[in-house]
C-alpha cells in the first residue's frame, strides 16, 4: 500500500521530490523472472533436428495412402471398383467384378471410397484403357451408405470435368422402399452430368426379388460391352482364381490369435471407447423375458447394460449387435470336411498391394472364423457354387453347380428352386452333394462375412440412460428339405440368460444414429403406427413423452396404432401400454387384433375408421407421423390409407394426396423405420 500511495502522490504533486520507481525488492523479482525466462529459452529440451528432406516424406506417404490413381499406376491396374456397402453385399460384388477383370485381360482393384481422395476421379484418364465401376447400395430412406457418404457429398458439390473418365454403375436396392436404388441412380446420373463416359447401362438390383440374379444378369452383359468398348477379348480362362493363400501356424503364441474381435486384438479383454462397428462394446445382458403368453412364437424383450461405455443414444436410434453362429452347425461343417477346427491359420492376400490383407481377422482358428466371422446360415450366392464346383468329383453334381452359377434361364431356375426356395445353407449343400469336398480354407475365403444385426431401440435414454432395450421375434421354422432353419441373431439372443451359473452373458454392440426422431417441440401431436415388433421405437417415444410430462412440459397428443394376431397371444407390452394410457401419457391406444374375428383387421383399417380426427391432427395441428415395421405390405398399406384419408376428408385428388405426404416426408413429419 505504501508503494501505491507513493506512486499516486508522485503523479498528483509534480513539486514533490520523486522517489525511485522500482524498489530493491522489485528489481530482485524482475531479475529472477528474467533469469527464468532466459534459462527456459536457452536450456529447455529442444526438439530433435529435422533431417534434410524429411518434410517431404509425410507428403509422399499421404499421396500414396489417399491416391487411388497413384496406387493403380504403381500396381499396373486399369479397373477400379468402388463400393458403397452397409451390410457387405456391395463390397462382395465389387470383389467379384475386380476378380473377373483378370478373365478379360484387365487388372481390377476393389476399393473403399472412404479410404481415398475421390476428387482424383478426373485423373483416371491418365491411365490408358481405364474404367471406374461403382457398386452402390442405398440405405435407409434413399441415403448413401456410411462409407460412401463423403463421395456422395463430393458428387453433390463438385464441378470437376470427368471427360475421358469411363464408368459403369450397379445399384443395390429394394423395391419395397420408396426411394428404390436412389444412390445408384444418382451416382450414374451425376457422373454423366460431369462429363463421364458411360461404358454400360446402370444396373438396378432388387433385394426384394433376387439381388444375386439381377447382378449376374447385369454382369453377363457388362463384360461383353467392356470388351467391345476397349477392343479386348476374353482370355477364355474360366477357372477359379484364388485371392488368398493359406498359412498354417503350428507354433504361435495364442495371445496373438483372434478369438472373435472385429478390429483390435484383445479388444474384448481391454475395452476402450469410442465404440463403433470395428470396436463394439461388450454389454452385459441384464434382462431377458418372453413378451407373449401364448402362441407358437417366442417374442422377447432384452436389456443391455451400457454403464461406463460412454455410449449415448436417442429414442429412435438402432442398436447393432454382432451374433455368433450355432456351435452345432460349425461342428457339423468341421466333421463333414474332416478337419481340425482348432487349427490356427491365416488367409493372406496374394495381392500384396491390397489394403485388405485378410478376409477376416487373422491369425485365428477355423472354429472362430466359422463361429464369429463367416455367414454359414444363409443361402450361398452363385459365385460360391461356381468356385466350389471344381471340388465335386461326381460329374453330374459339378455340372449342376456350374449351371446354377450361370445366367441361363435353366440355371437361374435350378438355383432358385434348389438353393433359394429350399433355403439350403452351406452345410445343407455339403450334405446333399456327397462328392463335394472343398478345402476348408477355400470355403472360408468364399463365404461372406457375418454381419451385425440392427434393432430399433425399445427404450428412452432419458429414462434408461445406462440401458438399451431390444424387442425381437425368434425366427425358427422348418424348410422344404425338412431342416429346421434358425435365425442366427434371435436364437443367439434368446439363449442369453441374465445369469448362467453365475456367468454373465455379454453382447458385442454399438449404436447407429437414426433420423427417426420425436418432434423438437413436445407439444406437437404424434401418430405412431407399429404392428408386431414395429412397436419397439415407440416404447422409447412413449417413455420419453412420459418423462417430458414429469418435467412439466406441455406434451401434445400421443396416439399409437398397434397390430398383432391375437390379444391373448402377442399383445406386446400390454401392461405397460395400458398403464401409459391410464396415466394420460398415451392419449389413444388403438389395437388391431387381425385374427380374433372372421374378417382380418389391420392397423390401416383403424386409421380409416378415425379419418376425421387424423386429418385434423395432420393438416391443422402439425402432427408428426411415424411408421415402423414391415416395408413390403404394412408400410404400403398405411401409405394408401393416408392417401385415401386426404382424398375423402381433405378433398384432395389422388395426385395431390401423394404430393401432400411426400412434402410431409421432406419436412420430417412423416418418418419410416421399416424393413423387408
Amino acid at each position: 500500500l505504501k508503494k501505491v500511495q507513493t506512486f499516486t502522490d508522485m503523479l498528483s504533486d509534480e513539486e514533490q521530490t520523486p522517489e525511485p520507481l522500482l524498489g530493491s525488492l522489485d528489481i530482485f523479482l524482475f531479475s529472477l523472472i528474467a533469469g527464468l525466462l532466459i534459462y527456459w529459452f536457452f536450456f529447455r529440451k529442444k526438439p530433435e533436428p529435422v533431417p534434410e528432406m524429411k518434410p517431404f516424406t509425410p507428403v509422399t506417404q499421404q499421396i500414396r495412402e489417399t491416391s487411388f490413381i497413384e496406387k493403380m499406376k504403381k500396381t499396373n491396374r486399369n479397373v477400379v471398383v468402388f463400393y458403397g456397402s452397409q451390410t457387405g453385399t456391395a463390397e462382395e460384388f465389387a470383389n467379384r467384378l475386380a476378380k473377373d477383370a483378370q478373365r478379360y485381360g484387365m487388372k481390377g482393384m476393389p476399393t473403399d471410397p472412404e479410404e481415398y481422395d475421390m476428387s482424383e476421379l478426373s485423373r483416371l484418364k491418365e491411365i490408358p484403357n481405364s474404367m471406374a465401376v461403382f457398386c452402390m447400395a442405398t440405405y435407409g430412406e434413399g441415403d448413401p451408405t456410411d462409407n460412401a457418404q463423403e463421395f456422395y457429398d463430393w458428387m453433390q458439390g463438385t464441378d470437376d470435368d470427368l471427360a475421358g473418365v469411363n464408368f459403369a454403375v450397379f445399384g443395390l436396392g429394394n423395391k419395397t422402399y420408396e426411394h428404390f436404388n436412389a444412390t445408384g441412380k444418382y451416382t450414374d446420373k451425376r457422373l454423366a452430368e460431369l462429363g463421364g463416359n458411360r461404358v454400360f447401362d446402370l444396373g438396378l438390383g432388387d433385394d426384394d426379388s433376387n439381388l444375386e440374379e439381377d447382378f449376374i444378369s447385369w454382369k453377363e452383359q457388362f463384360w461383353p460391352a467392356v470388351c467391345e468398348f476397349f477392343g479386348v477379348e476374353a482370355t477364355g480362362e474360366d477357372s477359379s482364381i484364388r485371392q488368398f493363400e493359406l498359412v498354417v501356424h503350428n507354433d504361435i503364441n495364442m495371445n496373438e490369435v483372434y478369438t472373435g474381435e472385429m478390429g483390435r486384438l484383445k479388444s474384448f479383454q481391454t475395452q476402450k471407447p469410442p465404440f463403433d462397428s470395428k470396436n463394439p462394446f461388450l454389454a452385459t445382458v441384464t434382462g431377458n423375458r418372453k413378451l407373449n403368453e401364448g402362441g407358437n412364437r417366442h417374442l422377447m424383450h432384452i436389456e443391455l447394460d451400457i454403464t461406463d461405455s460412454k455410449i449415448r443414444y436417442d429414442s429412435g436410434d438402432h442398436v447393432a449387435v454382432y451374433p455368433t453362429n450355432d456351435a452345432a452347425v460349425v461342428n457339423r461343417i468341421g466333421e463333414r470336411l474332416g478337419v481340425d477346427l482348432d487349427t490356427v491359420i491365416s488367409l493372406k492376400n496374394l495381392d500384396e498391394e491390397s489394403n485388405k490383407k485378410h478376409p477376416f481377422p487373422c491369425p485365428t482358428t477355423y472354429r472362430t472364423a466359422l463361429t464369429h466371422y463367416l455367414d454359414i446360415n444363409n443361402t450361398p450366392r452363385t459365385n460360391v457354387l461356381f468356385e466350389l464346383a471344381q471340388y465335386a468329383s461326381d460329374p453330374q453334381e459339378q455340372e449342376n453347380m456350374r449351371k446354377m452359377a450361370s445366367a441361363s434361364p435353366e440355371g437361374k431356375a435350378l438355383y432358385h428352386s434348389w438353393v433359394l426356395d429350399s433355403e439350403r445353407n452351406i452345410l445343407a449343400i455339403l450334405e446333399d452333394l456327397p462328392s463335394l469336398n472343398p478345402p476348408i480354407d477355400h470355403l472360408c475365403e468364399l463365404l461372406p462375412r457375418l454381419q451385425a444385426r440392427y434393432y430399433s431401440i425399445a427404450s428412452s435414454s432419458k429414462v434408461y440412460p445406462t440401458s438399451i432395450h431390444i424387442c425381437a421375434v425368434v425366427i425358427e421354422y422348418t424348410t422344404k428339405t425338412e431342416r429346421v432353419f434358425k435365425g442366427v441373431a434371435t436364437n443367439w439372443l434368446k439363449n442369453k440368460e441374465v445369469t448362467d451359473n453365475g456367468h454373465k452373458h455379454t453382447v458385442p454392440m454399438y449404436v447407429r444414429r437414426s433420423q427417426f426422431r420425436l418432434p423438437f417441440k413436445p407439444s406437437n401431436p404424434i401418430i405412431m403406427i407399429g404392428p408386431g415388433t414395429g412397436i419397439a421405437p415407440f416404447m422409447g417415444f412413449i417413455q420419453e413423452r412420459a418423462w417430458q410430462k414429469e418435467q412439466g412440459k406441455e406434451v401434445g397428443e400421443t396416439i399409437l396404432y398397434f397390430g398383432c394376431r391375437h390379444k391373448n397371444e402377442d399383445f406386446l407390452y400390454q401392461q405397460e401400454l395400458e398403464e401409459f394410457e391410464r396415466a394420460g401419457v398415451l392419449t389413444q391406444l388403438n389395437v388391431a387384433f387381425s385374427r380374433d374375428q372372421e374378417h382380418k383387421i389391420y392397423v390401416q383399417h383403424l386409421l380409416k375408421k378415425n379419418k376425421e380426427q387424423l386429418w385434423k391432427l395432420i393438416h391443422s395441428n402439425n402432427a408428426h407421423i411415424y411408421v415402423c415395421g414391415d416395408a413390403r405390405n404394412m408400410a404400403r398399406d398405411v401409405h394408401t390409407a393416408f392417401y385415401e384419408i386426404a382424398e375423402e376428408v381433405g378433398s384432395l385428388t389422388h395426385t395431390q394426396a401423394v404430393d401432400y405426404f411426400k412434402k410431409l416426408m421432406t419436412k420430417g413429419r412423416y418418418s419410416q423405420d421399416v424393413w423387408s
Side-chain angles (χ1 to χ4, degrees), residues 388-461:
L388 293 181
Q390 62 184 304
Y391 302 114
S393 56
D394 183 295
Q396 189 59 53
E397 289 183 0
Q398 186 173 123
E399 184 187 338
N400 285 340
M401 290 181 75
R402 291 194 189 280
K403 189 185 289 181
M404 286 189 282
S406 74
S408 71
E410 188 186 356
K412 287 178 180 177
L414 183 59
Y415 175 71
H416 206 276
S417 63
W418 198 79
V419 178
L420 297 182
D421 282 354
S422 302
E423 297 183 81
R424 281 182 168 90
N425 60 18
I426 193 62
L427 176 60
I429 286 170
L430 289 168
E431 288 177 340
D432 291 346
L433 297 175
S435 82
L436 180 60
N437 287 293
I440 192 169
D441 61 292
H442 198 179
L443 181 66
C444 289
E445 173 181 326
L446 293 170
L447 291 174
R449 283 293 294 269
L450 182 61
Q451 298 295 327
R453 293 340 195 231
Y454 298 97
Y455 297 96
S456 301
I457 296 176
S459 53
S460 164
S461 60

Side-chain angles (χ1 to χ4, degrees), residues 33-214:
I33 292 165
L36 288 170
L37 287 170
I38 291 166
Y39 177 81
W40 178 82
F41 185 82
F42 286 104
F43 297 100
R44 74 188 191 282
K45 186 176 178 180
K46 296 176 184 175
E48 293 293 325
V50 180
E52 195 175 353
M53 299 299 288
K54 276 285 183 184
F56 295 98
T57 306
V59 177
T60 308
Q61 246 174 6
Q62 190 178 25
I63 290 171
R64 285 202 194 105
E65 287 170 1
T66 64
S67 172
F68 66 89
I69 298 294
E70 296 303 320
K71 184 167 183 178
M72 288 176 74
K73 287 179 177 178
K74 182 186 172 188
T75 58
N76 198 28
R77 317 286 174 120
N78 59 348
V79 178
V80 57
V81 190
F82 294 103
Y83 55 85
S85 190
Q86 197 72 30
T87 61
T89 307
E91 181 181 359
E92 183 193 331
F93 285 0
N95 282 323
R96 286 161 67 176
L97 286 169
K99 202 172 176 181
D100 281 346
Q102 194 169 327
R103 297 190 173 107
Y104 299 91
M106 307 177 88
K107 208 169 176 190
M109 181 173 86
T111 304
D112 184 345
E114 195 172 37
E115 295 179 1
Y116 292 94
D117 180 3
M118 293 303 291
S119 66
E120 288 206 326
L121 193 57
S122 60
R123 290 185 57 206
L124 188 61
K125 55 181 171 281
E126 296 174 14
I127 300 171
N129 293 330
S130 62
M131 173 177 60
V133 186
F134 297 84
C135 292
M136 306 299 287
T138 296
Y139 161 67
E141 295 301 303
D143 302 318
T145 58
D146 293 345
N147 77 309
Q149 185 65 58
E150 285 183 27
F151 170 55
Y152 190 84
D153 294 342
W154 173 79
M155 282 194 293
Q156 287 185 311
T158 189
D159 56 0
D160 284 6
D161 181 7
L162 298 187
V165 174
N166 303 313
F167 76 91
V169 180
F170 182 81
L172 296 83
N174 190 309
K175 271 192 176 152
T176 57
Y177 295 88
E178 183 179 352
H179 306 281
F180 173 60
N181 254 312
T183 304
K185 289 174 181 175
Y186 178 77
T187 303
D188 181 72
K189 174 173 163 283
R190 186 65 181 137
L191 294 179
E193 285 175 351
L194 292 169
N197 186 24
R198 188 186 288 110
V199 173
F200 188 61
D201 295 338
L202 166 68
L204 296 176
D206 179 16
D207 199 30
D208 184 50
S209 178
N210 190 333
L211 187 59
E212 174 72 12
E213 189 175 302
D214 293 338

Side-chain angles (χ1 to χ4, degrees), residues 1-2 21 55 156 176 202 217 260 281 402 441 463 543 552 572:
L1 287 174
K2 181 177 183 295
L21 187 63
Q156 287 185 311
T176 57
L202 166 68
S217 298
F281 175 68
R402 291 194 189 280
D441 61 292
V463 182
Q543 290 167 10
L572 306 183

Side-chain angles (χ1 to χ4, degrees), residues 203-230:
L204 296 176
D206 179 16
D207 199 30
D208 184 50
S209 178
N210 190 333
L211 187 59
E212 174 72 12
E213 189 175 302
D214 293 338
F215 177 65
I216 292 290
S217 298
W218 179 82
K219 189 162 71 83
E220 289 290 318
Q221 298 172 68
F222 166 73
W223 284 117
V226 170
C227 289
E228 186 180 346
F229 183 85
F230 289 110

Side-chain angles (χ1 to χ4, degrees), residues 178 639 661-670 672:
E178 183 179 352
H639 264 318
F661 284 99
K662 274 190 176 176
K663 282 176 184 171
L664 288 189
M665 286 181 177
T666 305
K667 293 175 182 175
R669 282 184 51 206
Y670 193 123
Q672 296 186 101

Side-chain angles (χ1 to χ4, degrees), residues 467-673:
S467 182
I468 282 177
H469 300 177
I470 295 172
C471 171
V473 57
V474 177
I475 299 169
E476 185 173 340
Y477 56 88
T478 303
T479 69
K480 289 181 179 178
T481 63
E482 298 302 315
R483 291 179 169 93
V484 175
F485 179 90
K486 291 184 176 183
V488 173
T490 54
N491 281 276
W492 170 74
L493 283 170
K494 176 188 173 184
N495 295 320
K496 294 277 184 182
E497 299 295 340
V498 175
T499 54
D500 185 2
N501 292 327
H503 172 72
K504 291 184 177 179
H505 286 285
T506 56
V507 170
M509 52 74 67
Y510 67 96
V511 167
R512 187 171 72 181
R513 310 297 286 178
S514 164
Q515 298 303 313
F516 204 67
R517 288 280 180 269
L518 277 169
F520 179 73
K521 291 181 180 177
S523 57
N524 284 125
I526 62 171
I527 301 159
M528 304 170 287
I529 302 127
T533 55
I535 196 173
F538 302 137
M539 292 307 295
F541 281 10
I542 297 164
Q543 290 167 10
E544 193 144 327
R545 299 281 266 199
W547 177 84
Q548 288 170 339
K549 257 195 159 181
E550 287 174 6
Q551 303 301 306
K553 294 179 180 176
E554 181 191 346
V555 176
E557 289 191 65
T558 304
I559 299 169
L560 174 67
Y561 285 85
F562 171 69
C564 61
R565 296 176 183 180
H566 302 283
K567 182 175 182 178
N568 294 329
E569 288 186 9
D570 46 11
F571 188 171
L572 306 183
Y573 300 107
Q574 180 179 357
Q575 288 181 310
E576 292 96 321
L577 292 172
E578 289 175 349
E579 182 54 43
F580 280 127
E581 189 180 31
R582 279 193 293 272
V585 174
L586 204 50
T587 318
Q588 277 185 39
L589 174 58
N590 306 284
V591 187
F593 304 110
S594 63
R595 301 180 190 183
D596 275 352
Q597 60 284 313
E598 189 178 344
H599 301 291
K600 289 183 179 176
I601 298 175
Y602 296 113
V603 285
Q604 62 267 24
H605 300 132
L606 300 187
L607 291 172
K608 289 293 297 293
K609 191 178 174 183
N610 299 330
K611 57 187 178 182
E612 284 85 4
Q613 180 213 16
L614 287 170
W615 181 249
K616 184 183 177 185
L617 285 169
I618 296 163
H619 193 61
S620 304
N621 297 355
N622 206 36
H624 288 233
I625 303 166
Y626 301 91
V627 182
C628 182
D630 166 51
R632 187 179 285 112
N633 299 309
M634 183 276 298
R636 283 180 175 175
D637 292 339
V638 167
H639 264 318
T640 303
F642 277 121
Y643 296 155
E644 290 172 359
I645 289 169
E647 292 166 37
E648 293 168 19
V649 185
S651 301
L652 302 183
T653 65
H654 181 71
T655 305
Q656 288 173 331
V658 172
D659 288 343
Y660 183 90
F661 284 99
K662 274 190 176 176
K663 282 176 184 171
L664 288 189
M665 286 181 177
T666 305
K667 293 175 182 175
R669 282 184 51 206
Y670 193 123
S671 303
Q672 296 186 101
D673 182 0

